[in-house]
Amino acid sequence: MASYILRKAEPKDVSDILRLIKELAKFEEMEDQVILTEKDLLEDGFGDHPFYHCMVAEVAKQHQSTDGHVIVGFAMYYFTYDPWIGKLLYLEDFYVMKEYRGFGIGSEILKKLSQTAVRTRCSSMHFIVAEWNTSSIEFYKRRGASDLSLEEGWRLFKIDKQSLLKMTSEE
Amino acid sequence: MKFTISAAKPEDCKNIERMIMELAVYEKMPDQVKISHKELERDGFGPNPFYRCLVAEVPEEHKSEDGNTTVGYAIFFYTYSTWKGRTVYMEDLYVMPEFRGNGIGKALLAAVAKEAKDQLCSRLQFSVLDWNKPSLDFYMAKGAEDLTAKEGWHFLRFHGMALDNLAQEAP
């Protein structure tokens, strides 16, 4: 396949980013959980206080996808903090459309992200993967990732809005 | 016992450093703590803070055996879910053992929940070690759900040398 470019996402990309988010959620069998809208992505990523950073993979028009898209992959990340080692880069979503896999786009995205992490003095790049997603886990482990849930026993928890509101009104 | 919960100030960083180490000892990983109050001050109180911190203080007459009046803390930051939008991630929550049972932990968690609500976050996420039964019980009673058990999420990371290798990988 011919070339592609990796670049910083711009406000005009939010529609493609949402499309790719939904494709990834569908693969993770949780597409009905995506309640984010283009408006949210715009306000939260390109306003005064961005909550996330995003990188997109774009192909030339002549290589557009079967359904006419030129934005064929993305990675969304932000900076977090570990009180033991300081700044971290957290990779929230990372996805390349099926028809564009096997060309090294994913590897190149990961490399750019790790360069960003090193350049911004992050000691580590963290992310989560579903345990049944063995192809992704293999992809990451081949490149040197370690599974902290297996190695150290960390489990991810959430408290949803309803329970949060209950806590704030209790006294 | 009377106590107050308030936003941490730069001068609190020495106490926060002390309690971070106490929590790391409890989590059986004290050798993993690499940063000090200097990094905490630089990273939490500059023009672009990487984390927020709340501290719990008791009056002088209730100070700890070793003379401390800052007896608990919570460190959190804002993250982004491509499904739900703005989220709060609570990195650490800790109360010194001699001050437990007075509602300080509950109050710190409620204060973090209030921040989440004020910033229009739909969810609070955090992680707990699988053997840490007292913490697991505390959070479950507040409506927490174990996403590792329920949905199979594992924490992965590229750390140190693995991150450097990834950044330097040949194309």
Side-chain angles (χ1 to χ4, degrees):
Chain A
M1 192 197 70
S3 55
Y4 60 90
I5 56 158
L6 291 184
R7 60 169 176 79
K8 224 171 135 172
E10 290 159 36
K12 64 177 179 156
D13 295 318
V14 294
S15 154
D16 281 297
I17 297 170
L18 188 59
R19 169 180 58 85
L20 295 171
I21 286 171
K22 288 181 173 170
E23 271 184 40
L24 177 52
K26 193 170 180 185
F27 168 70
E28 287 169 338
E29 293 167 11
M30 304 212 225
E31 59 177 321
D32 53 314
Q33 290 211 37
V34 180
I35 58 170
L36 207 59
T37 64
E38 282 179 29
K39 185 166 177 284
D40 295 324
L41 281 172
L42 205 56
E43 273 174 24
D44 296 338
F46 300 95
D48 292 327
H49 173 213
F51 281 81
Y52 69 87
H53 301 277
C54 189
M55 185 189 297
V56 293
E58 185 172 8
V59 296
K61 208 156 160 70
Q62 61 263 38
H63 295 291
Q64 67 188 229
S65 68
T66 43
D67 44 1
H69 298 293
V70 295
I71 305 290
V72 303
F74 83 109
M76 183 188 275
Y77 65 96
Y78 39 81
F79 296 99
T80 62
Y81 204 76
D82 182 322
W84 296 354
I85 53 176
K87 273 175 73 178
L88 302 179
L89 189 147
Y90 188 87
L91 178 55
E92 174 63 33
D93 263 13
F94 171 27
Y95 177 76
V96 175
M97 286 170 71
K98 217 163 171 192
E99 61 187 283
Y100 294 89
R101 288 185 207 157
F103 298 110
I105 298 179
S107 297
E108 194 58 28
I109 291 177
L110 208 55
K111 181 179 169 182
K112 277 260 163 353
L113 288 169
S114 54
Q115 286 171 348
T116 301
V118 169
R119 195 179 63 241
T120 54
R121 280 187 301 102
C122 295
S123 336
S124 210
M125 179 159 74
H126 284 211
F127 48 103
I128 55 173
V129 188
E131 65 194 359
W132 53 257
N133 189 352
T134 45
S135 56
S136 292
I137 294 181
E138 283 314 303
F139 173 87
Y140 293 123
K141 280 192 156 165
R142 262 201 306 275
R143 286 160 177 75
S146 42
D147 184 333
L148 293 180
S149 291
L150 282 182
E151 285 175 27
E152 293 175 5
W154 292 103
R155 309 182 76 83
L156 176 65
F157 281 79
K158 68 160 180 179
I159 295 181
D160 270 341
K161 206 166 182 180
Q162 212 174 344
S163 303
L164 288 177
L165 289 173
K166 191 158 176 264
M167 266 194 272
T168 58
S169 57
E170 256 173 24
E171 217 18 57
Chain B
M1 180 191 290
K2 276 175 86 162
F3 61 88
T4 57
I5 307 286
S6 55
K9 298 189 268 325
E11 49 268 33
D12 290 318
C13 287
K14 285 202 171 129
N15 272 309
I16 298 167
E17 178 190 10
R18 169 182 57 81
M19 290 186 286
I20 284 171
M21 186 51 98
E22 285 175 20
L23 179 52
V25 166
Y26 173 75
E27 287 169 341
K28 303 174 191 169
M29 297 191 247
D31 49 312
Q32 290 208 35
V33 181
K34 307 285 184 214
I35 62 171
S36 74
H37 63 272
K38 292 201 183 84
E39 285 84 5
L40 290 170
E41 272 171 44
R42 178 197 63 195
D43 298 335
F45 300 92
N48 181 23
F50 287 91
Y51 69 89
R52 298 277 321 280
C53 184
L54 298 170
V55 288
E57 284 173 290
V58 296
E60 187 69 28
E61 61 265 26
H62 290 299
K63 68 186 187 200
S64 71
E65 274 176 27
D66 42 4
N68 292 300
T69 52
T70 307
V71 302
Y73 76 101
I75 283 180
F76 63 97
F77 38 78
Y78 299 100
T79 60
Y80 207 72
S81 155
T82 44
W83 299 352
K84 310 272 190 228
R86 299 183 194 180
T87 313
V88 165
Y89 188 89
M90 186 171 68
E91 176 64 36
D92 271 9
L93 174 63
Y94 176 77
V95 176
M96 290 169 68
E98 66 187 278
F99 291 90
R100 292 182 199 160
N102 292 301
I104 299 177
K106 261 172 84 166
L108 278 167
L109 186 58
V112 175
K114 184 172 185 303
E115 289 283 337
K117 182 182 154 207
D118 291 348
Q119 291 298 324
L120 309 174
C121 298
S122 53
R123 170 192 274 210
L124 170 66
Q125 292 195 167
F126 51 98
S127 52
V128 186
L129 287 161
D130 53 13
W131 53 258
N132 189 353
K133 193 155 189 325
S135 294
L136 292 168
D137 289 343
F138 172 80
Y139 292 121
M140 297 305 259
K142 292 284 172 206
E145 280 181 67
D146 182 340
L147 294 179
T148 295
K150 192 174 171 202
E151 296 170 8
W153 295 106
H154 281 222
F155 282 104
L156 269 70
R157 72 170 180 186
F158 284 102
H159 188 65
M161 186 84 112
L163 185 64
D164 290 336
N165 288 341
L166 199 61
Q168 283 161 42
E169 230 180 49

